[in-house]
Amino acid sequence: MLLEMKKLLPLLILPILMLTSCQSFLIVATSGNVDIILNEDDETSNNYYGPDEVNLSQTRKTLQGVTKEVVMPSTGDVNCLVVPIIIKGYEDNATQEFLDLIDEAFNSDELLKGGYPSIKSYFYESSFHQLNLSATVLDWIDLWEVCSIDENISTEQFTQNIFLNYLSEVIDYVSTLDIDLTQFDSDKDGYLDQVYFIYSAYDYQTLQDMMMYTEVDDFANSDVFWAYTINIRANDPYLDTDVPVLANYTVCSFDTLFKDYAKTKNVYYGNKRYQVDIISLDNDISPQTIIHETGHAMGLNDYYNYGDDYNYSPAGRLTMMDYNVGDFDSYSKMTLGWVKPYVVYGNSSIKLEESYVNKDQLIVIDPSQTSKDFNPFDEYILIEYYSPNGLNKYDIDNVINNYVPLPSQTGYKVYHIDSREFVTNLSNTIVREYDFEDLSAFENVVLPISNTNAGERAELSSYHFSPNINVSNSFDEIRLIEGFQRNTFNKGGYFTYETLFYGDDYFTFSKYRSFFIHDSFNDGTDFPYQIYFK
């Protein structure tokens, strides 16, 4: 039952534009009000800490000291190293034209061909000018010339481990050139901030397409030739060295920058019709995959499911780390140190502006939180005011092939976050939650909760758990709660305009119980708040 609100701030009337369309309405507003009630007998409405008061106790980068996972800095001037690699059999793709386009995709101050911002511009805008990323692009390097590879070995014989060992040899070779590698270690932790190895072979999916519509008869090595990022876990997460070493790096094909907006062709293979991508210099440039992989380099996880159940999409495909679309969500930005939240501890009324306008436009509600010191790696409800403007507009105006445009309305996104930290022992068994205590030499901090409900990245597949630890594969790191109450993300659904919360909507735990595993938070904490959107 909807309870009557008592003596809170006046209702904020938002402009509403009614349009006739298949979605029936369009809400256009630049701000909204969120009223939060813990105690109906309490007439106050300012029981929160503002972003200027809040201190983030951890970020992805500071976690490096306890998880020992080396990550790329997410703030400051960061110069990344781009190493183009010639793969035998694909020398024809190692051209100056493609090299120039790679440099443009990373460093251009103008919109790229097709209308998307460069990687540099994207992160500068997404981080609210706190990450100034640039890239130094080397000339093509022939893998067979600089590495100890038998000339008779073909790429068909590569495994991922073999290939990655060769890439380490490439960095050894680069260190012999007239290049000061310390310029690629902005935080002086002894590790190269981020390296992109861009190879001249086609991505295996592109090659599979080409084998359908051309005379190409090749082996599409799906173990090696795809887009992925490696983050190492180091015994010493901070090295004292004048020669920084390889730590986290991204590996992808040159065609990664030309696939998303590629021209397509219908081909027939057997009795089935397929739509395949045509890779060409004429294609629009699409840096979204490399932007997504850069998120991994900074420590962010995939928000999609690694299991066989492809119908399970807890984040609703409405963020960069889920579906390579739009801006980063506010949870990701907070863990990267780009934004700080309003931290609620009682009755509150808070005005939020569009999340791309001002950087600190999010609310977190953790029933156990009473301090100005907030740890983003915990369990809580997060509220963000979504906007179709800013970086989101590029995936409305110029949609990736076979993708759905992002919502064109403003509205509230409500997330259930569970990224709690745990302590493991030598046997990789999780023994307790981490509470900033000193660790023994045999202990390590991990964040086991993921958006994967099965397979190798699932919680119970990756770790052993002590009997006193309640963690399930069904837990999600970031779960977008669907405003219209139907739980479609578990059944193949993805975001629609109905996913958002709008004026006159409200959230209580009991109303949205189906979006939670238990009758409480995952950690057993009750959620007594009522949230009203204006």
Side-chain angles (χ1 to χ4, degrees), residues 18-272:
M18 304 298 294
L19 296 180
T20 301
S21 72
C22 62
Q23 294 183 345
S24 76
F25 67 92
L26 175 65
I27 296 179
V28 179
T30 58
S31 64
N33 230 59
V34 182
D35 292 338
I36 302 159
I37 297 178
L38 176 62
N39 180 359
E40 291 192 295
D41 295 326
D42 184 356
E43 298 183 1
T44 62
S45 60
N46 60 348
N47 296 292
Y48 61 83
Y49 298 113
D52 291 341
E53 303 174 274
V54 170
N55 172 57
L56 295 179
S57 55
Q58 292 187 103
T59 64
R60 294 285 177 186
K61 187 60 184 176
T62 62
L63 273 180
Q64 181 170 317
V66 291
T67 64
K68 299 180 182 179
E69 180 180 319
V70 180
V71 298
M72 168 186 167
S74 55
T75 58
D77 296 327
V78 179
N79 187 14
C80 302
L81 181 62
V82 179
V83 185
I85 300 294
I86 298 175
I87 301 297
K88 187 167 67 174
Y90 301 95
E91 293 88 350
D92 289 348
N93 294 329
T95 65
Q96 185 62 46
E97 289 84 357
F98 276 128
L99 204 64
D100 292 342
L101 288 172
I102 291 170
D103 184 75
E104 180 183 350
F106 275 94
N107 294 315
S108 177
D109 291 324
E110 307 294 332
L111 291 179
L112 303 174
K113 181 182 178 183
Y116 209 85
S118 69
I119 297 165
K120 169 188 175 180
S121 297
Y122 180 99
F123 280 102
Y124 191 66
E125 182 173 346
S126 184
S127 69
F128 298 97
H129 304 175
Q130 295 172 91
L131 174 59
N132 184 25
L133 184 151
S134 59
T136 297
V137 181
L138 303 184
D139 200 354
W140 292 100
I141 295 175
D142 192 317
L143 193 69
W144 269 255
E145 286 187 4
V146 303
C147 297
S148 54
I149 308 176
D150 188 316
E151 63 179 13
N152 296 316
I153 290 181
S154 70
T155 56
E156 183 175 344
Q157 297 168 279
F158 280 4
T159 65
Q160 189 177 79
N161 285 338
I162 289 174
F163 185 56
L164 298 184
N165 285 335
Y166 289 145
L167 296 184
S168 295
E169 291 187 41
V170 170
I171 291 298
D172 292 340
Y173 167 75
V174 170
S175 68
T176 68
L177 304 177
D178 188 21
I179 299 174
D180 179 11
L181 290 181
T182 62
Q183 67 180 298
F184 306 110
D185 180 18
S186 65
D187 57 353
K188 306 305 177 188
D189 62 357
Y191 297 97
L192 296 169
D193 290 336
Q194 167 66 352
V195 178
Y196 301 89
F197 293 102
I198 299 182
Y199 51 81
S200 66
Y202 294 103
D203 181 278
Y204 83 94
Q205 291 178 321
T206 303
L207 190 56
Q208 286 176 340
D209 284 355
M210 293 176 65
M211 291 165 64
M212 289 185 184
Y213 70 85
T214 71
E215 299 297 323
V216 170
D217 184 15
D218 205 341
F219 176 75
N221 192 332
S222 61
D223 188 43
V224 174
F225 296 130
W226 53 292
Y228 50 94
T229 294
I230 304 294
N231 296 83
I232 71 162
R233 200 176 293 276
N235 290 328
D236 187 352
Y238 302 102
L239 296 177
D240 182 15
T241 175
D242 293 331
V243 184
V245 299
L246 187 64
N248 36 271
Y249 52 95
T250 293
V251 181
C252 66
S253 169
F254 79 99
D255 74 34
T256 301
L257 291 168
F258 306 97
K259 284 169 61 70
D260 289 338
Y261 299 129
K263 298 177 178 66
T264 59
K265 178 178 182 178
N266 290 328
V267 299
Y268 291 87
Y269 196 72
N271 295 323
K272 293 186 178 181

Side-chain angles (χ1 to χ4, degrees), residues 345-495:
Y345 58 87
N347 288 11
S348 301
S349 184
I350 300 171
K351 178 181 177 180
L352 290 182
E353 295 182 342
E354 294 173 277
S355 55
Y356 85 98
V357 177
N358 293 316
K359 66 176 185 172
D360 298 326
Q361 300 299 309
L362 65 153
I363 298 170
V364 295
I365 309 172
D366 178 350
S368 60
Q369 179 75 29
T370 58
S371 168
K372 297 178 183 179
D373 295 323
F374 180 73
N375 180 16
F377 304 101
D378 207 337
E379 187 174 9
Y380 49 91
I381 294 293
L382 184 149
I383 302 168
E384 167 191 327
Y385 195 60
Y386 167 84
S387 168
N389 299 310
L391 291 170
N392 289 324
K393 70 180 180 182
Y394 298 107
D395 287 295
I396 298 173
D397 299 338
N398 191 16
V399 184
I400 292 174
N401 290 345
N402 301 317
Y403 279 30
V404 177
L406 295 183
S408 56
Q409 302 86 0
T410 52
Y412 301 93
K413 291 199 293 184
V414 178
Y415 287 105
H416 173 213
I417 304 297
D418 189 359
S419 57
R420 287 173 289 156
E421 303 165 83
F422 293 83
V423 178
T424 63
N425 58 22
L426 276 177
S427 64
N428 204 35
T429 297
I430 289 179
V431 295
R432 64 181 183 276
E433 284 196 44
Y434 178 58
D435 193 27
F436 295 91
E437 72 273 20
D438 292 335
L439 303 177
S440 75
F442 307 107
E443 294 179 323
N444 194 31
V445 173
V446 296
L447 283 70
I449 298 173
S450 73
N451 278 23
T452 288
N453 65 357
E456 62 174 326
R457 297 294 181 94
E459 290 82 348
L460 302 183
S461 300
S462 301
Y463 300 94
H464 306 294
F465 289 84
S466 296
N468 62 310
I469 302 296
N470 175 29
V471 171
S472 164
N473 282 352
S474 299
F475 290 2
D476 295 315
E477 178 184 0
I478 172 171
R479 206 330 174 162
L480 183 60
I481 296 172
E482 300 176 68
F484 67 133
Q485 288 187 266
R486 293 200 301 272
N487 195 338
T488 69
F489 297 164
N490 288 357
K491 304 169 185 175
Y494 51 85
F495 67 85

